[in-house]
Amino acid sequence: MTGGRRQKIRISRSQDAPPRHTSVRPVEPVPAEGYFTPRPALLPGRLEHLRAMTKPGVRGFPEVDGAQALLAQTMRKDKVRGDVLDLTAMGGLIGSLSGVTLRAVEGSAAALSVLTAAGYDTCAAVPGDALPERWPIRARTIAMVLAGDRGNAYALSQVAWAHACTPPGGTLYLAGDRDKGFDRYVRAAGNAFGSGETIARDGGMRVARLIRRPGPTPVYPEPEGYEAYGVKVVGLPGVFSAAKPDKATTLLLDHLSELELHGRRVLDLGCGAGLIGAWAALRGAQATLVDGDLLSVRSAQATLVASSLTGEVVHSDVDAELGERTFDVILTNPPFHVGRGVVLDVAREFIAAAARRLNPGGTLYLVANEPLPYEPAMQGVGQTRELVRAGGFKVLSSTRPA
């Protein structure tokens, strides 16, 4: 889903590499192997002989995440061996270290798909989940990349989770981005662990090594929430629009206030905390809510419960887990960020999924930042119109021929 603030987005229409000093990747179609096909990640030269898998939707795609790259380099230098619990496994890079047996934890459906394809021992989990049932004997080495771009509360929940997963005397390797609050979070981790220091730097990326002393695990941040459009939204830390409705979603729902949904099969694709799907359920729709982020799925489930509404919530990489389901209406505020930079692969696949999943005569309603060029892809669904443009956003519709 798009962010709540108006953003300056530069889109390069060339197939060449983007200009230097920009975080925006060129807008280009998904490679010929297809959106859902795992493929080797591009690695920097310093990670010679290591490997990782990736696909659109995995953090860092088509490369590996920069913080994880430095994490792997540092752990290789430290000659880490044995069982390693990686709480942000992404494409399994840490598992390619010599002598390491990886326990791969992820909340991303896209990442879980490539980890499973690579044969790793995987677990779908998010900060706060207990893992002893999955792995009764605890690993002595833990790895984690902080996602400071998901907000302060989420990063602090990651720190608390890492502490809970690290046995006394065990070692945590913690990586992150200096520009996303890494130093602040390392201080918080140091207070909890009792010992640790930053041991590696590469540009803005950092890695700290901490040894856990006995002591209590920090308290997890509380969920946020709000009421809007008759829905009680429960926003877990790190979930998009956890504290208030974002401007794009507000524009979409305001414009669709007269849309008849009673009895219709409606898909909220990329549901986040579940506001759009719950709004549809409140209006009598048979609502299905989908997100590739497990924490968002948990939030959406909690939103339906808090609002006394009925709906199905599915953890899925786009529509991969939807079986044969089809829909009369698809509503989406698609993501264009996976970590740093603007990446349109996932949003384009949302549109392709709409073409696969809409019943004849069904309509896709999509809201996006003004500069994002979704119209050509939406023509593949059906007749496409711009319904409204305001505040830096636009609402588009595409109707599948009857």
Side-chain angles (χ1 to χ4, degrees), residues 2-24:
T2 54
R5 296 179 301 171
R6 186 169 180 173
Q7 303 183 44
K8 293 182 178 178
I9 304 170
R10 295 177 58 194
I11 300 293
S12 168
R13 301 184 185 274
S14 166
Q15 297 299 305
D16 299 326
R20 295 181 64 185
H21 311 303
T22 177
S23 62
V24 180

Side-chain angles (χ1 to χ4, degrees), residues 10-52:
R10 295 177 58 194
I11 300 293
S12 168
R13 301 184 185 274
S14 166
Q15 297 299 305
D16 299 326
R20 295 181 64 185
H21 311 303
T22 177
S23 62
V24 180
R25 293 182 187 168
V27 176
E28 56 187 16
V30 174
E33 54 263 51
Y35 174 86
F36 292 103
T37 305
R39 65 210 68 170
L42 303 176
L43 303 181
R46 67 181 184 278
L47 298 183
E48 186 181 6
H49 305 309
L50 299 186
R51 63 190 181 280

Side-chain angles (χ1 to χ4, degrees), residues 65-366:
D65 176 77
Q68 194 187 49
L70 183 60
L71 178 65
Q73 181 182 357
T74 304
M75 293 176 72
R76 181 165 66 174
K77 182 179 178 182
D78 279 3
K79 299 181 179 178
V80 172
R81 300 288 187 272
D83 290 338
V84 174
L85 176 65
D86 189 347
L87 296 172
T88 49
M90 300 184 208
L93 179 63
I94 302 303
S96 69
L97 293 170
S98 178
V100 164
T101 299
L102 182 65
R103 300 176 180 183
V105 176
E106 260 294 346
S108 160
L112 286 164
S113 71
V114 301
L115 290 164
T116 299
Y120 286 115
D121 189 8
T122 63
C123 179
V126 296
D129 286 350
L131 301 177
E133 198 170 295
R134 182 68 177 79
W135 292 293
I137 299 175
R138 300 170 76 183
R140 303 286 298 175
T141 304
I142 314 298
M144 173 180 276
V145 174
L146 290 167
D149 54 292
R150 294 188 67 166
N152 184 66
Y154 183 75
L156 290 176
S157 71
Q158 284 188 292
V159 168
W161 193 32
H163 187 273
C165 291
T166 307
T171 302
L172 169 68
Y173 285 88
L174 191 64
D177 188 336
R178 175 196 60 195
D179 295 336
K180 301 295 182 182
F182 178 79
D183 293 339
R184 178 170 70 255
Y185 302 132
V186 165
R187 286 194 293 272
N191 290 337
F193 276 73
S195 173
E197 61 178 341
T198 298
I199 59 172
R201 297 172 174 82
D202 182 18
M205 301 302 148
R206 301 286 186 269
V207 174
R209 184 175 57 220
L210 303 103
I211 310 298
R212 182 181 167 182
R213 297 175 183 170
T217 292
V219 175
Y220 289 93
E222 290 292 323
E224 298 181 284
Y226 56 92
E227 293 191 28
Y229 300 95
V231 173
K232 294 181 179 179
V233 176
V234 179
L236 296 175
V239 172
F240 173 77
S241 195
K244 61 181 181 179
D246 72 292
K247 293 179 181 178
T249 295
T250 297
L251 180 66
L252 176 68
L253 297 186
D254 285 348
H255 187 76
L256 298 182
S257 60
E258 302 302 318
L259 183 65
E260 177 56 52
L261 294 178
H262 192 273
R264 306 186 78 187
R265 296 179 59 83
V266 175
L267 173 64
D268 177 2
L269 188 53
C271 64
L275 173 58
I276 294 174
W279 170 85
L282 184 64
R283 297 164 67 85
Q286 301 175 47
T288 300
L289 293 75
V290 169
D291 208 288
D293 173 55
L294 182 56
L295 202 60
S296 296
V297 167
R298 301 266 181 90
S299 260
Q301 290 169 332
T303 292
L304 290 175
V305 170
S307 303
S308 301
L309 295 168
T310 300
E312 179 185 27
V313 188
V314 182
H315 184 217
S316 177
D317 182 11
V318 192
D319 64 336
E321 303 301 322
L322 288 182
E324 301 300 316
R325 297 172 184 83
T326 59
F327 303 92
D328 304 309
V329 175
I330 296 178
L331 306 168
T332 187
N333 179 1
F336 62 87
H337 287 293
V338 182
R340 306 178 74 165
V342 174
V343 185
L344 301 187
D345 307 85
V346 179
R348 290 179 185 277
E349 192 61 26
F350 274 30
I351 297 168
R356 295 189 291 266
R357 298 285 173 177
L358 278 173
N359 293 322
T363 300
L364 164 68
Y365 295 95
L366 179 150

